[in-house]
Amino acid sequence: MKVYKFGGASVKDAGAVKNVAQIIKREQDTMVVVISAMGKMTNLLETLVRAYFEKSVKKWEIFNQFRNYHLEITNQLFDNNGMPESVLAQFAELEMKLKRNPSFDYNYEYDQIICFGELVSTQIVSDYLNFTGISNQWADVRNCLRTDEMYRDANVDWGLTEQLVNEIFNFDNQRLYITQGFIGSTIINQTTTLGREGSDFTAAILGNVLNAESVSIWKDVPGVLSADPKKMDGTVKIDSLSYREAVEMTHSGAQVIHPKTMKPLHNKKIPLYVKSFMAPDEPGTVIHAIDHKIELPPIFIMKENQVLITLSPKDFSFISIEDIDRVVNFLLENRVKITLMQQSAIDLNLVLDAPEADWEEIFSKLSPYYTIRYNTDLVLITIRHYTEEVLDWMVKEKDIYLEQHSRLTARMLVKQ
Ligand code: ASP
Ligand code: MG
């Protein structure tokens, strides 16, 4: 069996959904298809979560925006017959949720609402496929993808998930399942999510526990590129990559695939294809187990919106393991991810994705122990397989805040 994953851009309007149906139709094998929320609906739902949590009446305006976006798509897909019953039921459930008062746990409420992007999109695609004669079963992945209670960044319970996934996706009477990326649930059936852009990870989890022959991620780019074509000229597509290379690239900020995708596939040697939904006949990029060295061009990755935070112990003591432990745990609790860490005698430098919440306030909790300095609006440039020539060219006329070189990777933090 195979796993396909389609992201938001591939289902952003009725035409895109029809194109996805064409791609699914080409495949005769047993298959699980993982789909994200349509277009930018997750971003819209984030504003809904905020309005709901703040008990603002704006929530109804946003709810209507969310509904109308899908209504336009279903009108085009189902010959102006409006929304299928199954989709209406999802909206009714969301509406009921919005009528109730929120709890005091923002992360919990976030997951209970954000999941509707995926629930609605998969329901629409599944209904549309059945409507056009591509028989399939819609499956609620929350019945089998089990996690802990770390809302918004949940950790998979692999043992339970493996057992339940194989029960639900059993292929007894079905060749094709349509299910959600990004979401899961706790053992007491509370919805959780795997972190933004987590649908790729869902595809890899399902691929792993179902022992898929391959996983394919369908994108709006021809495959993995040597740099982001919007930011640099002369990018080339890379035909083949090792899991290791791919994990380094994506962890550094290459947005083509979620970094957590690689481990479950690597562990079972399942190849990952990154292909264009605009050109399904093109080979794309394959990420797989390669035992020989492949020559790669310099690969450029820019991670924007970075913040440099420098912590120095107030009593002038050296940075110790206890300091690192305290700071790392503090960041974990506040769901802040470290991109890069560097220490000197009395400075601990942290490069972070700028947290969406008021992070100066968050960090002020560390101020009893440390003097804290900030630099904002930075970009972390990573160059894999760098050459001296490329480095010279890159650093020209740039203010470098922090630099780190290893055998294969050069990193520099510069002003945005
Ligand atoms: N819809 C979710 C997001 O936009 C998950 C995903 O697209 O992978 O973050
Ligand atoms: Mg998305």
Side-chain angles (χ1 to χ4, degrees):
M1 60 82 56
K2 292 181 179 136
V3 176
Y4 275 11
K5 181 260 167 175
F6 292 96
S10 64
V11 287
K12 70 176 195 302
D13 55 32
V17 173
K18 288 181 181 173
N19 181 53
V20 163
Q22 287 304 322
I23 293 175
I24 292 175
K25 206 173 168 183
R26 295 152 51 105
E27 187 59 62
Q28 303 305 318
D29 203 351
T30 45
M31 187 152 71
V32 175
V33 176
V34 174
I35 303 177
S36 309
M38 293 180 160
K40 301 262 180 261
M41 285 300 105
T42 305
N43 292 354
L44 182 68
L45 286 173
E46 284 190 338
T47 65
L48 179 60
V49 174
R50 228 160 283 136
Y52 171 69
F53 199 68
E54 287 161 7
K55 298 187 183 160
S56 153
V57 286
K58 266 191 94 180
K59 67 185 175 189
W60 295 118
E61 204 181 295
I62 305 169
F63 172 75
N64 282 331
Q65 236 176 303
F66 179 66
R67 188 171 48 191
N68 291 342
Y69 182 94
H70 294 95
L71 183 61
E72 197 177 322
I73 292 176
T74 51
N75 269 334
Q76 287 181 49
L77 291 177
F78 301 101
D79 306 333
N80 279 321
N81 285 328
M83 286 190 182
E85 286 296 323
S86 57
V87 183
L88 286 173
Q90 299 287 358
F91 281 100
E93 207 181 315
L94 175 58
E95 193 173 349
M96 243 158 60
K97 167 78 189 156
L98 294 175
K99 281 182 183 157
R100 290 194 293 268
N101 272 334
S103 70
F104 292 99
D105 184 342
Y106 183 81
N107 293 331
Y108 168 80
E109 296 299 350
Y110 180 102
D111 285 354
Q112 309 319 303
I113 290 180
I114 213 88
C115 60
F116 282 94
E118 270 68 16
L119 292 170
V120 169
S121 78
T122 49
Q123 196 68 73
I124 292 174
V125 174
S126 168
D127 283 10
Y128 177 69
L129 291 173
N130 279 325
F131 178 71
T132 55
I134 307 171
S135 162
N136 74 92
Q137 171 79 51
W138 180 84
D140 188 335
V141 82
R142 295 173 300 178
N143 292 329
C144 54
L145 204 158
R146 292 293 152 138
T147 72
D148 64 5
E149 290 174 5
M150 184 88 164
Y151 295 104
R152 296 184 71 185
D153 195 16
N155 300 296
V156 178
D157 179 334
W158 284 92
L160 197 52
T161 298
E162 172 155 29
Q163 181 201 326
L164 295 172
V165 165
N166 279 286
E167 274 168 36
I168 291 201
F169 300 101
N170 56 31
F171 299 100
D172 280 351
N173 302 307
Q174 230 5 286
R175 182 188 69 82
L176 174 63
Y177 293 92
I178 305 294
T179 198
Q180 307 76 37
F182 180 50
I183 67 176
S185 92
T186 66
I187 50 167
I188 54 164
N189 297 335
Q190 300 298 310
T191 304
T192 52
T193 59
L194 304 172
R196 285 298 309 262
E197 307 303 329
S199 296
D200 295 347
F201 184 35
T202 305
I205 296 166
L206 298 180
N208 175 298
V209 297
L210 289 165
N211 293 308
E213 121 192 17
S214 67
V215 172
S216 300
I217 294 185
W218 297 86
K219 306 270 312 177
D220 55 359
V221 287
V224 178
L225 305 175
S226 62
D228 183 343
K230 286 185 216 113
K231 291 175 194 145
M232 271 178 88
D233 294 332
T235 55
V236 289
K237 180 180 77 78
I238 298 163
D239 300 332
S240 158
L241 281 174
S242 63
Y243 296 109
R244 191 193 170 99
E245 187 63 44
V247 87
E248 288 293 347
M249 283 178 71
T250 53
H251 192 259
S252 302
Q255 279 167 355
V256 60
I257 325 159
H258 193 287
K260 283 189 184 168
T261 313
M262 255 58 73
K263 182 177 185 291
L265 300 179
H266 165 274
N267 291 172
K268 292 238 174 126
K269 306 258 178 296
I270 298 168
L272 172 66
Y273 294 94
V274 182
K275 284 168 68 95
S276 162
F277 58 75
M278 304 308 293
D281 290 324
E282 298 296 320
T285 297
V286 57
I287 297 164
H288 52 162
I290 6 185
D291 44 19
H292 56 282
K293 193 172 175 318
I294 45 171
E295 284 304 320
L296 289 169
I299 296 172
F300 297 85
I301 303 138
M302 319 265 184
K303 201 166 170 47
E304 287 167 352
N305 239 335
Q306 301 295 295
V307 183
L308 171 64
I309 298 187
T310 306
L311 305 169
S312 318
K314 282 194 163 157
D315 63 358
F316 211 70
S317 57
F318 295 139
I319 293 289
S320 66
I321 289 293
E322 284 74 34
D323 290 303
I324 295 177
D325 190 52
R326 173 194 287 145
V327 172
V328 168
N329 278 316
F330 172 80
L331 294 173
L332 206 63
E333 274 161 31
N334 288 286
R335 311 281 199 276
V336 180
K337 296 230 158 74
I338 311 173
T339 319
L340 196 146
M341 199 154 101
Q342 208 176 62
Q343 82 183 89
S344 65
I346 57 163
D347 282 345
L348 180 60
N349 289 305
L350 304 166
V351 183
L352 312 168
D353 284 334
E356 60 174 275
D358 188 348
W359 50 273
E360 289 202 43
E361 191 189 312
I362 297 179
F363 276 92
S364 68
K365 294 190 195 122
L366 289 174
S367 56
Y369 316 102
Y370 306 101
T371 309
I372 306 175
R373 282 168 291 158
Y374 303 95
N375 292 92
T376 56
D377 300 323
L378 304 173
V379 188
L380 181 69
I381 303 176
T382 302
I383 312 173
R384 296 274 298 160
H385 313 282
Y386 62 91
T387 59
E388 286 311 317
E389 204 184 327
V390 163
L391 275 189
D392 288 348
W393 168 74
M394 204 72 211
V395 301
K396 229 184 267 160
E397 292 162 35
K398 286 205 172 77
D399 262 350
I400 297 180
Y401 287 70
L402 192 144
E403 219 174 336
Q404 210 173 66
H405 288 201
S406 64
R407 252 167 290 147
L408 286 181
T409 313
R411 294 177 140 174
M412 52 197 85
L413 190 65
V414 301
K415 197 82 195 160
Q416 204 142 286

